[in-house]
Amino acid sequence: MKILGIETSCDETSAAVLADNQKILSSIVLSQEEIHSPYGGIVPELASRQHILTIDCVVEEALQRAKLALGDINVFAVTQGPGLVGSLLVGLSFAKGLAYSTGKPLLPVDHLEAHVQSAFLENREIAYPALALLVSGGHTALFFLKEKLSFAIIGKTRDDAAGEALDKIAKFLYLGYPGGPVIDRLAEGADPGVFPFAVPQMTDKSLDYSFSGLKTAALRQIKENRITRDHPQFKDFLASFQGGIIQALLANLGRALEEYRPKSLILCGGVARNKALRKEFQGFARRHRLPASVPKPEFCTDNAVMVAALALEKINLGEPLGLQMDLNAYPRRGQTLVT
Ligand code: KG4
Ligand code: ZN
């Protein structure tokens, strides 16, 4: 069986073809970074327009590299949500068109679940129950996986996502968009202990995250210490802020560990590309004597391989297949679009 996955939830237009043994036959990711960079963040209207312009070529390229024709594809998979509605609708409508014209089934997948599933691409033997920390530009969440395909959210951000906080502070310091990778690069080798950042704590003992306090603290430090690119400790400041975010991420994971007693840990999402976070996460797992799975960097940021991989896993577990022409996108989990 051959499956074609499509991902357009945010600012990457992506298509991938996988065989039923999860072998990746092709993977195309077209980033819109250049388009959004001048604005310091994603402009939803521009994102959907760009997806419309490129989705055709991206899918065509994925098929060509897999050395397949459209008729060879047995199932189409597509991200249904959460994400930017305009962007999601482009991928969803395109996938519906492909399914309708070929008479093959279409399987929708959840973007966050696909991120978590990306950890299984390189390691099919992750032990259950597992705890997954998903850190991206739009979402920060803790998942408890009791068994295969059971994705329960046990904590989520109440305001900014971790990547969003990094991007916003980078924007404030004129570091460009996306700011996460720039901070990652500049903070390398710098001292994260120079500027103090307190770990935010929920008063209600929930496992939810909040990054707006850290962002406000960073803005205050920038003002008080007159931090600019020319400040002698500019890199230490970035390392300290990044370190504050990492500590906040791991603090809740530590509490979740006590409550859920998992057999393994997963780190995923775009911010999981961050070198310091990857290192700290591995150290955290070692201290708790738990195996850790972190996808390789290209599968941390948005991609269609994870979409097709999750759909394949669902098919293997008996998910019913159909044409699904009435599918609609959802902007947030549990939120449906009224048409
Ligand atoms: O998962 P993703 O591609 O899209 C969403 O679903 O949101 O994540 C994008 C986020 C952006 O906030 C970007 O700044 C961040 O991932 N990011 C990083 C790094 N690479 C990407 N953050 C820190 N360090 C990185 N190396
Ligand atoms: Zn994502």
Side-chain angles (χ1 to χ4, degrees):
M1 189 177 69
K2 307 283 184 292
I3 184 163
L4 180 109
I6 293 178
E7 154 66 40
T8 62
S9 69
C10 196
D11 63 339
E12 261 98 23
T13 319
S14 182
V17 181
L18 267 67
D20 50 1
N21 55 1
Q22 301 251 354
K23 187 169 187 282
I24 301 167
L25 303 182
S26 67
S27 167
I28 307 291
V29 181
L30 188 60
S31 167
Q32 302 180 355
E33 257 174 47
E34 271 178 33
I35 288 163
H36 303 288
S37 184
Y39 304 94
I42 296 163
V43 183
E45 175 76 10
L46 294 181
S48 35
R49 282 168 186 260
Q50 191 61 19
H51 284 308
I52 289 174
L53 290 176
T54 58
I55 182 89
D56 196 6
C57 306
V58 168
V59 168
E60 185 62 43
E61 184 75 17
L63 285 168
Q64 272 185 22
R65 293 215 191 159
K67 297 191 173 55
L68 293 172
L70 188 58
D72 298 324
I73 300 298
N74 307 92
V75 181
F76 296 95
V78 66
T79 306
Q80 190 182 10
L84 301 170
V85 172
S87 292
L88 286 164
L89 284 173
V90 176
L92 199 56
S93 308
F94 198 84
K96 278 185 194 176
L98 293 178
Y100 187 73
S101 61
T102 55
K104 303 284 172 53
L106 174 63
L107 199 59
V109 307
D110 181 276
H111 182 68
L112 307 188
E113 294 180 1
H115 267 303
V116 175
Q117 192 67 27
S118 65
F120 293 81
L121 284 168
E122 288 146 90
N123 181 6
R124 303 297 305 279
E125 305 304 322
I126 296 177
Y128 294 99
L131 267 184
L133 171 58
L134 162 67
V135 205
S136 76
H139 302 88
T140 302
L142 276 172
F143 281 83
F144 178 62
L145 287 79
K146 197 168 161 220
E147 57 195 5
K148 261 189 193 178
L149 298 186
S150 120
F151 302 95
I153 293 193
I154 56 168
K156 59 184 181 322
T157 182
R158 293 191 183 173
D159 38 57
D160 289 353
E164 199 179 351
L166 287 165
D167 292 341
K168 283 181 179 168
I169 291 302
K171 180 183 179 186
F172 194 76
L173 292 167
Y174 303 103
L175 296 180
Y177 173 84
V182 183
I183 295 183
D184 185 3
R185 203 173 57 244
L186 293 173
E188 222 175 334
D191 185 352
V194 175
F195 296 86
F197 281 96
V199 173
Q201 271 174 352
M202 288 291 156
T203 44
D204 59 5
K205 305 268 176 242
S206 86
L207 290 169
D208 283 350
Y209 285 101
S210 167
F211 291 100
S212 66
L214 271 173
K215 202 180 61 189
T216 311
L219 292 172
R220 205 186 52 241
Q221 299 240 33
I222 291 172
K223 273 204 182 110
E224 281 172 8
N225 299 296
R226 295 171 195 262
I227 304 276
T228 63
R229 268 172 180 269
D230 304 324
H231 191 284
Q233 287 176 305
F234 181 58
K235 291 184 176 178
D236 294 335
F237 172 77
L238 296 179
S240 301
F241 176 57
Q242 178 181 271
I245 292 206
I246 294 172
Q247 291 320 312
L249 289 168
L250 296 183
N252 275 18
L253 185 62
R255 289 179 37 233
L257 219 72
E258 287 167 24
E259 202 175 324
Y260 289 89
R261 305 260 163 225
K263 291 208 173 95
S264 58
L265 297 175
I266 292 169
L267 173 67
C268 56
V271 184
R273 290 180 80 118
N274 185 273
K275 289 187 279 303
L277 175 58
R278 292 173 90 88
K279 193 167 161 231
E280 294 280 333
F281 184 81
Q282 295 288 358
F284 175 94
R286 263 195 310 277
R287 284 196 300 284
H288 289 93
R289 296 176 198 287
L290 287 169
S293 295
V294 187
K296 56 177 159 183
E298 67 194 89
F299 296 136
C300 288
T301 28
D302 291 347
N303 66 85
V305 170
M306 66 186 190
V307 173
L310 176 55
L312 269 177
E313 196 69 4
K314 285 182 170 209
I315 295 167
N316 286 341
L317 265 86
E319 182 94 2
L321 291 172
L323 252 182
Q324 309 236 46
M325 286 300 119
D326 54 351
L327 279 182
N328 210 338
Y330 51 87
R332 294 205 185 82
R333 274 200 154 206
Q335 192 178 31
T336 43
L337 259 183
V338 180
T339 50

